[in-house]
Amino acid sequence: MPRAGVTLTLLCLLVSAAHAVHAAPDTKVSKKDLKRADAVLSKLRRLEESSATPDPAAFVKAARELHPGLFSKVSALREGDLKTELTTAVVLYESALRAARQGGTPDCSREPRESYARLCFETREGGRSAFLRAKARLHVARARAEVLYARGERDPATLDTVALIRAERDTDRALAADALRSLKELVAAPDTSDLAGRLEAFERVLDSLPRDHTQQLLRSARDAFRDGLYWQYKAAPALALLIDASSYTPRGELPRLGLRADDAARTAQANLRTALIFINKVEAELDSSRQ
């Protein structure tokens, strides 16, 4: 979906979502989950404080100390907006830690999500790590609003943030649907001349999605598709090999792997079928989330 379309959709959805938020309290978050969320937010606060210092080593040190335990704490939460926001924040901070070591500058003009694009332009002088940390802080702020809302807070700032989160879920579905449609087309015709460019575009949309079940399924479908391509490329050259008679190597065999070309072709087809299974799961997930 073009960025302008996403922005217009988001603004329209924000208005309707605000009315729903004002009208109905959230009863989905248990006291146990709120306690777990408080523990995660406390640790994320340390990361935020370390990333605000001029010393980049402070963030790296804090992230290394906190991250192994954060994933297990977040995974214990019940599925919902609170878990989605916290999981996304934790993953983004972990990505920022890697980017701090690798460096690199983000390409803000190709960011599919409007809210991320704004953050990208605001932080691009700090490189990719600064952009990822800004995205993580955005999701931490949203998670805090979800906690306040679940505890009965109804001040304007909390209500506006929760309404924005609800609207963002609709944007998530629109982006996921675009990514799904693109991947289905690639699985149906993997020999397209623009394969690399289309995969790159798919990756950009995938990275813009929150780390929820839908995104995990899309990643699994992407991985299965890539594996299928790998074995397709292994099988095709093998069938065209001309082997010297004295080598005793049967025509069509892959000498380094010990596999015949037809074995590689079957493996490729099996992976592509697996990709279709995950694609069907994504479709079912999106249909369920719209109801």
Side-chain angles (χ1 to χ4, degrees):
M1 178 180 291
R3 185 180 303 162
V6 172
T7 306
L8 180 59
T9 302
L10 181 59
L11 290 173
C12 295
L13 292 171
L14 182 57
V15 175
S16 60
H19 293 293
V21 168
H22 279 269
D26 190 352
T27 58
K28 296 179 181 179
V29 184
S30 67
K31 291 181 179 180
K32 182 180 292 187
D33 274 353
L34 286 174
K35 185 176 180 180
R36 288 169 176 160
D38 284 336
V40 174
L41 285 169
S42 176
K43 293 180 182 298
L44 290 177
R45 189 176 299 113
R46 287 177 56 188
L47 283 178
E48 289 183 73
E49 292 170 352
S50 67
S51 66
T53 65
D55 181 13
F59 167 72
V60 173
K61 180 180 179 181
R64 285 175 175 169
E65 291 175 352
L66 296 175
H67 259 285
L70 280 176
F71 284 104
S72 60
K73 290 183 181 296
V74 171
S75 64
L77 292 169
R78 177 181 174 178
E79 295 296 329
D81 286 332
L82 178 58
K83 181 176 182 177
T84 295
E85 298 300 334
L86 284 174
T87 302
T88 305
V90 170
V91 171
L92 286 170
Y93 270 127
E94 196 268 342
S95 299
L97 175 61
R98 293 199 305 271
R101 297 192 294 263
Q102 299 168 356
T105 303
D107 186 353
C108 303
S109 64
R110 305 179 76 180
E111 176 57 53
R113 186 181 290 271
E114 185 70 23
S115 56
Y116 284 176
R118 288 196 300 271
L119 288 177
C120 185
F121 283 111
E122 291 169 3
T123 62
R124 61 181 173 179
E125 290 186 3
R128 182 162 177 76
S129 181
F131 173 42
L132 290 167
R133 293 198 303 271
K135 288 165 66 174
R137 287 194 297 271
L138 173 65
H139 289 281
V140 169
R142 291 175 180 175
R144 287 182 180 137
E146 287 284 359
V147 168
L148 289 172
Y149 185 75
R151 288 189 166 129
E153 184 62 62
R154 296 296 184 269
D155 65 283
T158 299
L159 289 172
D160 287 346
T161 302
V162 173
L164 177 60
I165 294 170
R166 303 295 185 266
E168 283 284 281
R169 295 292 83 88
D170 288 284
T171 302
D172 298 340
R173 283 187 285 271
L175 288 171
D178 280 352
L180 179 64
R181 182 166 50 254
S182 176
L183 189 59
K184 286 177 68 175
E185 292 172 356
L186 287 174
V187 171
D191 56 347
T192 176
S193 59
D194 191 28
L195 177 61
R198 295 181 66 177
L199 275 175
E200 182 184 355
F202 173 84
E203 290 291 340
R204 287 197 300 272
V205 176
L206 192 64
D207 286 342
S208 76
L209 293 174
R211 273 48 174 186
D212 58 6
H213 191 228
T214 300
Q215 203 251 14
Q216 291 172 6
L217 290 173
L218 278 169
R219 282 188 178 276
S220 297
R222 184 274 317 271
D223 292 343
F225 174 65
R226 280 181 170 177
D227 289 344
L229 287 179
Y230 171 83
W231 287 109
Q232 274 191 342
Y233 292 141
K234 283 291 183 182
L239 290 173
L241 281 176
L242 294 178
I243 306 296
D244 184 81
S246 62
S247 69
Y248 298 101
T249 303
R251 180 179 178 83
E253 185 177 337
L254 305 177
R256 294 183 180 179
L257 300 175
L259 292 176
R260 292 183 58 81
D262 54 354
D263 293 329
R266 281 195 295 270
T267 303
Q269 289 303 311
N271 279 288
L272 292 177
R273 285 194 296 271
T274 300
L276 286 173
I277 289 173
F278 282 114
I279 283 173
N280 290 335
K281 289 183 178 181
V282 175
E283 287 183 324
E285 184 91 2
L286 289 175
D287 289 341
S288 176
S289 67
R290 292 187 188 101
Q291 296 176 0

